[in-house]
Amino acid sequence: MFQLTNKPIDVQQVINQVTDRNCGAIATFIGTVREFTNGKKTVRLEYIAYESMAEKMLKRIGAEINERWPGTNVAIVHRLGVLDISEAAVVIAVSSPHRQAAYEANAYAMERIKAMVPIWKKEIWEDGSSWIGDQLETKRYT
Amino acid sequence: MFQLTNKPIDVQQVINQVTDRNCGAIATFIGTVREFTNGKKTVRLEYIAYESMAEKMLKRIGAEINERWPGTNVAIVHRLGVLDISEAAVVIAVSSPHRQAAYEANAYAMERIKAMVPIWKKEIWEDGSSWIGDQLETKRYT
């Protein structure tokens, strides 16, 4: 399950996609809309994507993880459109036979999303707005 | 929310406990019952606890995390009783302003649970059963 959606993300449904009787660990990451960034108040966020390419990139990240951490299952859902404070923008679930791989692969997925998935974020501040490419928020994963 | 329960754990409910408008990251870990361990087939698991002490220790782990990673929120729910394959034995949710602390604190919580919470696991194998202290599965966190 690698998809974009305009509706609120159902976390349990993403987790269900990776549940596997051969796995004893499921690490989940939820990126939520935070109200304050460097003292500036966010009112809401808006995400847009180059959709067909973004879904292709999410699938590629899943494949990279399966190769680096054999025995893992991966699901990634990214929200598009307008989000209020505390809503989930992205949900990543990784299951693995043992927990270390689940944590590591999950953190890797988030770095890769920031680095290579064409999704852009518009921050609507109290006093204006600005477009921010996700990839500007973090170092590129090499 | 630091508790033991005899009922299936509602993951979304645990996540709700740590949702915070000041946080942009929620890392969740679910420990599930795995069918095979070193080629041996598990039929089901049974967890028992020294309950009052176990809940006290879960709270202490939460306090340790808040001290080490300021601005985090922590919830831990551990299942007791008989569990089937793929059921959740433990759910840990940690929210934080930024994601690295959420991942790190979550992994720390799991290490600490294994090291110091008096919960014991009985593995019911295809060909017999054995009691295993959770703390024997891992190194002690120091």
Side-chain angles (χ1 to χ4, degrees), chain A residues 22-26 70-73 94-102, chain B residues 34:
Chain A
N22 296 315
C23 291
I26 302 172
T72 51
N73 301 281
V94 178
S95 66
S96 170
H98 301 281
R99 70 185 183 281
Q100 197 185 340
Chain B
R34 192 179 53 234

Side-chain angles (χ1 to χ4, degrees), chain A residues 11-12 15 21-32 34-35 85-86 97-99 103 106-107 110-111 138, chain B residues 11-12 15 21-32 34-35 85-86 97-99 103 106-107 110-111:
Chain A
V11 177
Q12 184 62 56
I15 291 169
R21 37 203 307 126
N22 296 315
C23 291
I26 302 172
T28 304
F29 178 80
I30 308 168
T32 56
R34 191 180 55 235
E35 187 166 25
I85 303 300
S86 289
H98 301 281
R99 70 185 183 281
Y103 281 120
N106 196 297
M110 193 63 232
E111 295 294 330
T138 185
Chain B
V11 176
Q12 185 61 56
I15 291 169
R21 35 204 309 125
N22 296 315
C23 291
I26 302 173
T28 304
F29 179 80
I30 308 169
T32 56
R34 192 179 53 234
E35 187 166 23
I85 304 299
S86 290
H98 301 280
R99 69 184 185 282
Y103 282 120
N106 196 297
M110 194 64 232
E111 295 295 329

Side-chain angles (χ1 to χ4, degrees), chain B residues 81-142:
Chain B
V82 175
L83 279 75
D84 291 324
I85 304 299
S86 290
E87 279 201 272
V90 62
V91 177
I92 303 165
V94 178
S95 65
S96 171
H98 301 280
R99 69 184 185 282
Q100 197 184 338
Y103 282 120
E104 286 177 9
N106 196 297
Y108 173 84
M110 194 64 232
E111 295 295 329
R112 292 295 277 161
I113 290 169
K114 298 256 176 194
M116 76 176 199
V117 180
I119 297 176
W120 295 273
K121 179 166 85 171
K122 185 181 189 178
E123 294 251 11
I124 296 96
W125 308 100
E126 255 185 332
D127 59 353
S129 67
S130 57
W131 281 100
I132 300 168
D134 259 6
Q135 66 276 20
L136 296 178
E137 293 188 313
T138 186
K139 289 187 309 225
R140 184 166 283 270
Y141 208 102
T142 50

Side-chain angles (χ1 to χ4, degrees), chain A residues 30-78:
Chain A
I30 308 168
T32 56
V33 180
R34 191 180 55 235
E35 187 166 25
F36 287 96
T37 298
N38 303 324
K40 245 182 137 177
K41 186 172 178 176
T42 296
V43 178
R44 59 186 182 279
L45 288 185
E46 185 178 347
Y47 287 94
I48 59 163
Y50 171 14
E51 300 193 24
S52 59
M53 183 59 75
E55 290 198 342
K56 198 173 152 185
M57 291 294 115
L58 293 179
K59 282 192 192 92
R60 183 186 291 183
I61 292 168
E64 285 177 7
I65 289 173
N66 294 151
E67 196 184 333
R68 285 187 180 217
W69 292 276
T72 51
N73 301 281
V74 186
I76 306 172
V77 180
H78 203 297

